[in-house]
Amino acid sequence: MAGIIYVLRKGVAWRDVVRARVHAAGCYEAATDEEQVLMDKFLARTERYQTLMIDAIDGLGLDRIDAGGGRSAAELADTVLAAADAQTAVGRSSGGR
């Protein structure tokens, strides 16, 4: 195996999942206004970081696997291993993303 593969979630679905998890864990509806603001800021930073990572990875032409789409952990692992086997240089396969 040559090296690095970035597995990220993209699209609206991951945002909804993360938001729901943060709201549930933080008891968003019962939280004070200040606590809700902190959760909202955390979610905004998380979304921005994810966007920056995807843009950087795509800009460098590195392999990226979208972890969304409802695939099982086993299916995702198989996809990662197949991408690693196809790499001709660290983070890059002969077929692109």
Side-chain angles (χ1 to χ4, degrees), residues 13 22 33 35 37 56 59 66 68 76 78 87 89:
V22 168
D33 290 343
E35 291 167 333
V37 167
D66 180 9
L76 185 56
D78 288 343
Q87 287 185 343

Side-chain angles (χ1 to χ4, degrees), residues 4-5 8-9 19 32-33 43 49:
I4 301 169
I5 296 174
L8 299 170
R9 295 185 71 116
R19 182 170 304 280
T32 65
D33 290 343
L43 289 166
Y49 176 79

Side-chain angles (χ1 to χ4, degrees), residues 7-65:
V7 180
L8 299 170
R9 295 185 71 116
K10 68 177 183 175
V12 175
W14 80 265
R15 289 183 198 109
D16 294 342
V17 169
V18 171
R19 182 170 304 280
R21 288 182 179 173
V22 168
H23 283 192
C27 301
Y28 191 86
E29 295 303 321
T32 65
D33 290 343
E34 293 83 11
E35 291 167 333
Q36 288 182 356
V37 167
L38 288 174
M39 285 184 253
D40 292 340
K41 285 183 178 182
F42 170 80
L43 289 166
R45 282 192 312 272
T46 300
E47 183 175 338
R48 179 69 179 141
Y49 176 79
Q50 186 80 348
T51 299
L52 291 172
M53 286 299 296
I54 289 170
D55 290 348
I57 291 164
D58 288 349
L60 292 169
L62 299 175
D63 289 335
R64 175 173 52 87
I65 296 170

